[in-house]
Amino acid sequence: MTRTMSVGLGAAIVGAILMLVGVILEPRQALTSYLFAYATVLTIVLGALILVMLSYVSGAAWFTAFSDLALAIVGALPALAVLALPILIGVKKIYPWATIATLPVETRGVVERKEAWLNVPFFVVRALIYLAVWTIVGELVRRRWFDMERARAAESSDLRPRASGLSAGGLIVVGLALTFASFDWLMSLDPAWYSTVYGVYVFAGGFLAMLALVAVMAPRSIGPEQTSAIGKLLLTFSIFWAYIAFSQYLIIWIADVPSEVTWYLSRARGSWGVIAIVVAIGRFVIPFVLLLSRARKRNARALAAIGALLLAMHVLDVYWLVMPALHPAGVQPSWLDAAALLAVTGGAVAGAAWRQGRRPLAHVSTRSGEVAS
Amino acid sequence: MTALAPDPVEEGRRPNIPSADVQLPAVANYTQVTDEILNTLKLTKAWFAGLAFSVFCLAIGGTAWMYQIYMGLGVAGYHPPVMWGVYIITFVFWVGIGHAGTLISAILYLFRAGFRTTIYRCAEAMTVFAVMTAGLFPILHLGRPWKFFWLIPYPNWRLIWPQFKSPLVWDVFAILTYLTVSATFLFIGLIPDLAVLRDRETNPVRKRIYGVLSFGWRNSDREWRHFARAYLFLAAFSTPLVLSVHSVVSFDFAMADVPGWHTTIFPPYFVAGAIFSGIGMVFTIIIPIRRWFKLKHYVTLNHLDAAAKLCLFTSLVVGCAYLTEFFIAWYSGSEVEQSYFMNRVFGQWWWAAWIMLTCNMILPMLLFSQKLRRNTTFLFTLSIFINLGMWYERFVIIVPSLSHEYEPWQWAPYAPSFVDWAILVGSFGWFSMWFLLFVKQLPVLAIAEIKEIVPPKFAHRVSRRSLDGHGETPGSVEPAEAH
C-alpha cells in the first residue's frame, strides 16, 4: 500500500464517518453536499479520460509526457462508480422532482409533464448506464495504453491505430453520457429549468480543472516545452469555459424569459452573486492575464500555482451550480460540504493510487526526447 | 533533460514539425516545388471557361437583385411573419464556410498539425472570399440597400445611432473584423511566395508589383524571424475570432424569443457547424484542384485523411448538438418547444430536416472507414452533400421557426421565389469568380511552407531554421539532444 493510497483511504474513512453523522442530523444537506463533492471530482476524472482519448485520436505527441498522470487519474473511475451509491440511494432527498408534492405550485405543472424522464427508477437506471459507460471505456483505454507500453518495450508494431479507433468511439459515448449525466444529476436540481448548453458548461469546467490538476501534479522532470503545452491548454480552456459561461448568461439574460431567468436570479444575487463574480475572476480573468506571458507558461512552478487557483475555482463553481438549489437565499456553508469533499476526494485518490500501485507517475518523461518538442 | 530546453527566442519561430506521414515522398527537391506550383499559374482554356461561367452565374444574381430593388422585397417571397429566408440562410452558410480557413491556418498551426501545410492557402483564400460573399447578403436583404451604411455607427447629421443592443449591429463588427484579420493573415502568409513570384517574373511591370507586395523580401534571417513572429501572433489573434464570429451570428437568433432560436447551445453549435461546413467546402475545392493542377503528390492522401478525421469529429459534435436540442425540447416540458420541434421534423419542411440530419450526421459517419477517407471521389461527393446539408441546416433553423411561432394564428407558409434562387446562384458565381481569379494570380499552395515537408534525405538540408543559422532540419530532434 503506497503512502498516497493510505492518506486517501484515511481521508475517505474520516469523511465517510462525518457523512454518516451528517446523514442522521441533516440528511438533505448531507446528500446535496455529497452530490456537490461527487460532481466536483467526477468531472475532473472524466476530463482526464477525454484528454487521453483526444490525444489518441489526434496523435498529439506532447501528451506523452503527461499520459501516465492522466491515466492514473482515469484509474479513479471504478472507485467513483462505487462512490455514486449515496446519490442513487438519496435521490428522493436530493432532487425536488422526486417528491413533486413539495414543489411550489407554479412549477408543479411543468415538472409533472417531465415525469417520463424525471422519475426515480429511470433515473437510477440511467445513472448506472452512465457509470458503466465511463468505467468500461476508462478501463479499455487504460488497458490499451499498457498494451502499447509493452509493445513499445518489446519494439513490436505500434498499436496506436487501434487505440485511436477505440478512442474515437469512446469520445462519443463518454461525451453523451457526460452531457446527459449533467442534465440528470445537476440540471434537474432545478427541475423546471433547462439550458441546452449545460452539458458543455459542465464539461468545460471539468476539463479545465483536470488540466489544472495535471499542472499541479506534473513531475518536475518535465521540460519547459511540455510544460508550455499544458500552459497553452490551460489558457485555451479558461477562455473556452468563459465563452460558454458568458454566452449562456447573455442569452438567458437578454431574453429575460421568467422560466429561464429564475436559475440565474438565485445565483446572481446576494452572496451567490459574490461567488459568481469570484469564479468569473478566478477562473477566467486572473488565469487569462497570467497565462498570456510566454515565460510563465514555461515555468512549471507558476503553472502549478495557477493550477491550484483553478482547482479551487472549480470547487467553487460546482458549489455554485449545486447548492443554490438547496439554499436559494444565500450561501450557507456547512461542515458537511468539507466532509463530503474529504470523503469523495479521499475515495477517488485511494482508488486511483491502488490502481497505480508502485508505477511512477512520470516514467515516460525520461523518454521525452522522443516527444516532438 | 534541461539540455532539451531550447533557447526561448529560437523556440518562438519554430515552424510546424512535419512527421513522416505529412512529408511528400514524391517530391525530390525545392526547385521541383517552385516549378510545379508556379506552373499552376499558367492560364488555360478550361480556366477561362470556368471564369466565364462564374461571371454568368453572377450576372444572373445581379439581374435578380436589380429586379428586386425595382419591385421590392416582396418578390423574394418575404411576407410576415417569415421575414428572414434564403438571404439570411445563405449569409450564415457563407460565413460558416469562412470558418475553416482560420481553423486550418491558425488553430491547426498552433496545434502543430502538419497536414495543414498543403491545404491552408486554399482554405484561407476560401475564407476571405466566403466572408466577402456573406457580407453581401445583409445588404441584399435591405429594402433600400444604398442606405446600408446606416448600420455603421458614426457621428452623423441624422443624430441616429444603430441599436447597440441588437446582435445585427454586433454582426457588422464581427464580420468586418473577421474579414480584416483573415485577409491580413492570408497576405502575411503570401509574402515569401510573392517574393518567389517576383524572382521568376520577366514582365517588368508585374515584377514591380510583386516586389512591392512582397515588401522587398530578401530571404534574410531577420526577415524570416519577423515573418514567423507575425505569423504566430496573427494565428493566436485570429483563433478567438473563429469562436466569436459565428457566436455573434448565432446571437442573431438566440437573442430573439422565438422557439427553436432561443436556446443556449447556439454559440458552440454554430461554431462547430461552421467549421464542419468549412471543411466540407475545403474538400469541394481542394480535390478538383489537386486533380486538375496535377498536385496529387503535394496534397497527399495522408493530408486528406487527416482533414477527413477533423470533418468526422466536427460532424459528431454537430450531431450531438442536434440530439441535445431535440432532447431538451422534449425535456423542457414546454408545449411551444415540443410542438415546434415536431413541426421541424414532421411539419411542412420535414424533408429539409431530414436532408440536414442525413447529410450532416449520418453520411459523414462513413468517414469512420479509413478506406473511404482516402478515396477522393468519395470525399468530393460527401463534401457536396455536406454543403447541401449545412445550407439546409440553416433553412431548418430559420424558416420553420419564424413560420411556427407561439400562437397558431401566427403560423404562415413560406416559399422561396425564383429571385432567391437566382441570388443564391449569383453568390456561388461571385465566390467562384474571386477564387478562380486568385488561383491564377497567386500560388494556391504555400511554396515556402511546403518546402519544409519535402523529405530531408533528398532535399538540400536547408530549412527556414537553418537560414536563421541554427543548422537544424525540420523534424530532427536528435541534434538538439546532443547539445
Side-chain angles (χ1 to χ4, degrees):
Chain A
M1 193 143 92
T2 59
R3 205 172 127 250
T4 323
M5 188 183 159
S6 33
V7 171
L9 211 55
I13 291 168
V14 173
I17 293 169
L18 290 173
M19 285 308 295
L20 278 178
V21 178
V23 169
I24 296 162
L25 294 178
E26 328 168 58
R28 186 140 186 246
Q29 167 75 51
L31 285 164
T32 314
S33 298
Y34 189 85
L35 174 69
F36 140 71
Y38 186 78
T40 309
V41 177
L42 178 75
T43 46
I44 295 178
V45 175
L46 290 178
L49 178 58
I50 291 172
L51 176 72
V52 175
M53 291 190 292
L54 273 178
S55 70
Y56 281 166
V57 172
S58 65
W62 57 268
F63 175 72
T64 324
F66 300 100
S67 45
D68 286 63
L69 187 51
L71 282 156
I73 300 174
V74 174
L77 274 173
L80 278 168
V82 178
L83 284 170
L85 267 181
I87 299 174
L88 301 186
I89 296 168
V91 179
K92 288 209 162 172
K93 285 276 175 238
I94 302 174
Y95 295 99
W97 49 259
T99 45
I100 288 182
T102 60
L103 281 171
V105 189
E106 315 87 82
T107 53
R108 208 175 293 168
V110 179
V111 178
E112 270 168 3
R113 254 177 277 147
K114 296 186 179 187
E115 221 176 344
W117 186 262
L118 294 180
N119 61 71
V120 177
F122 194 23
F123 178 92
V124 173
V125 169
R126 286 195 312 265
L128 293 176
I129 294 174
Y130 307 145
L131 293 167
V133 165
W134 297 326
T135 316
I136 292 169
V137 174
E139 289 309 297
L140 286 176
V141 165
R142 271 172 67 92
R143 190 170 301 168
R144 186 59 50 81
W145 169 257
F146 294 130
D147 285 352
M148 273 164 35
E149 281 284 88
R150 237 168 281 134
R152 210 170 295 152
E155 294 189 351
S156 64
S157 64
D158 195 357
L159 286 163
R160 172 149 283 173
R162 280 169 63 206
S164 73
L166 166 74
S167 301
L171 272 175
I172 305 170
V173 288
V174 169
L176 278 176
L178 173 59
T179 308
F180 280 90
S182 64
F183 291 158
D184 277 6
W185 296 359
L186 301 177
M187 197 166 88
S188 79
L189 283 166
D190 299 85
W193 184 77
Y194 58 90
S195 163
T196 35
V197 85
Y198 196 87
V200 184
Y201 180 89
V202 170
F203 155 75
F207 199 78
L208 176 61
M210 177 276 306
L211 292 169
L213 183 65
V214 169
V216 170
M217 290 176 65
R220 293 290 169 263
S221 58
I222 282 176
E225 194 53 36
Q226 280 85 29
T227 311
S228 102
I230 284 290
K232 284 174 197 158
L233 278 179
L234 277 176
L235 178 62
T236 310
F237 276 89
S238 171
I239 297 172
F240 182 71
W241 173 83
Y243 159 66
I244 297 292
F246 173 74
S247 44
Q248 174 175 283
Y249 180 77
L250 181 69
I251 289 170
I252 288 177
W253 169 80
I254 208 162
D256 209 13
V257 179
S259 63
E260 294 174 353
V261 89
T262 43
W263 192 81
Y264 273 114
L265 280 184
S266 57
R267 282 169 178 78
R269 281 191 184 156
S271 42
W272 286 120
V274 176
I275 294 212
I277 291 169
V278 169
V279 170
I281 293 174
R283 211 172 195 190
F284 171 64
V285 179
I286 296 175
F288 176 77
V289 172
L290 292 180
L291 287 170
L292 282 180
S293 147
R294 196 181 137 65
R296 206 169 278 120
K297 280 200 284 270
R298 305 169 68 84
N299 178 343
R301 202 172 295 227
L303 273 196
I306 296 170
L309 169 74
L310 284 169
L311 274 178
M313 287 303 132
H314 175 62
V315 175
L316 215 52
D317 183 33
V318 180
Y319 194 70
W320 178 83
L321 285 179
V322 173
M323 282 309 187
L326 186 62
H327 306 298
V331 185
Q332 272 186 43
S334 158
W335 59 278
L336 284 163
D337 301 333
L341 261 187
L342 199 65
V344 179
T345 319
V349 168
W354 179 56
R355 306 293 309 286
Q356 189 67 10
R358 300 214 172 269
R359 287 168 55 86
L361 278 178
H363 74 281
V364 175
S365 69
T366 53
R367 293 203 316 255
S368 59
E370 79 185 33
V371 173
S373 53
Chain B
M1 280 301 111
T2 44
L4 251 185
D7 165 29
V9 177
E10 194 263 341
E11 171 54 25
R13 51 174 192 274
R14 174 166 292 193
N16 293 320
I17 308 287
S19 49
D21 55 338
V22 173
Q23 287 181 348
L24 309 173
V27 180
N29 55 43
Y30 291 175
T31 323
Q32 187 192 347
V33 175
T34 313
D35 289 343
E36 287 185 339
I37 295 179
L38 290 188
N39 250 341
T40 64
L41 297 180
K42 286 193 187 123
L43 302 179
T44 60
K45 278 189 191 140
W47 178 81
F48 276 113
L51 188 65
F53 183 69
S54 305
V55 174
F56 174 68
C57 291
L58 178 60
I60 292 177
T63 314
W65 190 25
M66 282 189 265
Y67 175 69
Q68 178 195 296
I69 292 172
Y70 186 74
M71 298 297 288
L73 267 178
V75 294
Y78 295 103
H79 304 286
V82 188
M83 295 307 286
W84 281 8
V86 168
Y87 293 164
I88 301 296
I89 294 166
T90 317
F91 163 74
V92 182
F93 173 77
W94 283 111
V95 182
I97 284 177
H99 275 62
T102 315
L103 176 96
I104 289 170
S105 49
I107 297 186
L108 296 186
Y109 177 78
L110 296 178
F111 275 96
R112 298 175 182 175
F115 71 87
R116 72 179 268 288
T117 314
T118 49
I119 47 180
Y120 88 92
R121 172 70 47 76
C122 214
E124 267 176 24
M126 178 192 86
T127 292
V128 173
F129 301 137
V131 176
M132 276 165 55
T133 314
L136 295 177
F137 278 87
I139 297 173
L140 287 169
H141 200 271
L142 295 175
R144 294 178 179 77
W146 49 92
K147 296 206 167 158
F148 73 96
F149 60 90
W150 285 18
L151 276 166
I152 299 165
Y154 66 100
N156 57 66
W157 58 265
R158 303 186 307 277
L159 300 178
I160 298 173
W161 290 87
Q163 166 60 282
F164 282 106
K165 274 199 269 180
S166 161
L168 300 179
V169 175
W170 309 345
D171 255 356
V172 176
F173 295 118
I175 304 278
L176 286 179
T177 314
Y178 191 57
L179 183 61
T180 314
V181 173
S182 50
T184 314
F185 202 34
L186 172 67
F187 177 67
I188 297 277
L190 270 167
I191 289 176
D193 290 1
L194 283 166
V196 175
L197 285 173
R198 175 201 60 197
D199 297 343
R200 293 281 180 114
E201 187 58 61
T202 45
N203 178 334
V205 178
R206 287 175 66 100
K207 200 177 181 83
R208 183 92 192 129
I209 294 172
Y210 286 134
V212 170
L213 285 177
S214 66
F215 294 137
W217 179 267
R218 301 189 63 80
N219 209 23
S220 69
D221 284 10
R222 186 188 292 186
E223 279 167 341
W224 275 113
R225 187 159 65 238
H226 288 204
F227 172 80
R229 274 277 167 83
Y231 200 83
L232 184 70
F233 171 77
L234 273 169
F237 190 72
S238 41
T239 299
L241 282 177
V242 179
L243 290 184
S244 74
V245 177
H246 226 59
S247 298
V248 171
V249 171
S250 82
F251 288 159
D252 291 349
F253 306 100
M255 300 277 156
D257 193 8
V258 173
W261 283 11
H262 176 65
T263 176
T264 49
I265 206 171
F266 258 32
Y269 159 50
F270 265 54
V271 172
I275 293 170
F276 174 61
S277 72
I279 297 171
M281 193 55 122
V282 166
F283 284 133
T284 313
I285 292 174
I286 198 95
I287 291 173
I289 282 187
R290 77 192 271 281
R291 186 166 296 177
W292 293 336
F293 287 2
K294 302 189 177 60
L295 295 173
K296 283 185 187 171
H297 48 304
Y298 290 97
V299 187
T300 62
L301 289 180
N302 281 342
H303 300 176
L304 292 177
D305 186 353
K309 281 183 191 165
L310 197 61
C311 182
L312 172 62
F313 178 73
T314 46
S315 153
L316 292 173
V317 172
V318 169
C320 286
Y322 292 159
L323 296 180
T324 311
E325 258 194 315
F326 280 112
F327 169 74
I328 290 286
W330 174 73
Y331 170 86
S332 71
S334 145
E335 279 168 39
V336 174
E337 288 281 324
Q338 288 171 353
S339 122
Y340 163 69
F341 272 91
M342 286 304 282
N343 177 56
R344 187 185 259 197
V345 192
F346 302 110
Q348 187 192 350
W349 288 285
W350 61 272
W351 46 271
W354 290 102
I355 289 178
M356 162 184 115
L357 291 172
T358 314
C359 295
N360 300 342
M361 207 171 118
I362 299 167
L363 289 180
M365 296 238 187
L366 292 170
L367 291 174
F368 271 113
S369 147
Q370 192 186 39
K371 213 172 178 181
L372 291 176
R373 285 202 304 269
R374 305 179 76 87
N375 179 337
T376 52
T377 315
F378 170 77
L379 277 182
F380 182 77
T381 318
L382 180 71
S383 78
I384 301 291
F385 278 109
I386 291 174
N387 290 330
L388 181 78
M390 285 311 291
W391 194 86
Y392 271 105
E393 180 198 295
R394 279 63 177 252
F395 185 95
V396 166
I397 290 170
I398 291 171
V399 173
S401 287
L402 285 177
S403 64
H404 198 89
E405 280 196 54
Y406 292 90
E407 302 291 338
W409 60 263
Q410 292 175 303
W411 298 350
Y414 162 81
S417 74
F418 69 95
V419 175
D420 290 286
W421 298 121
I423 285 190
L424 180 63
V425 168
S427 81
F428 277 91
W430 166 262
F431 173 82
S432 54
M433 178 188 81
W434 284 107
F435 203 90
L436 286 169
L437 289 174
F438 170 81
V439 295
K440 288 296 172 187
Q441 294 305 320
L442 294 164
V444 74
L445 264 62
I447 301 172
E449 283 210 43
I450 282 178
K451 288 179 181 171
E452 284 173 7
I453 54 171
V454 172
K457 61 176 172 173
F458 295 114
H460 311 293
R461 295 182 73 87
V462 178
S463 74
R464 186 186 289 181
R465 273 187 295 160
S466 62
L467 288 170
D468 289 340
H470 288 278
E472 262 181 52
T473 322
S476 75
V477 192
E478 290 78 15
E481 252 188 313
H483 289 319

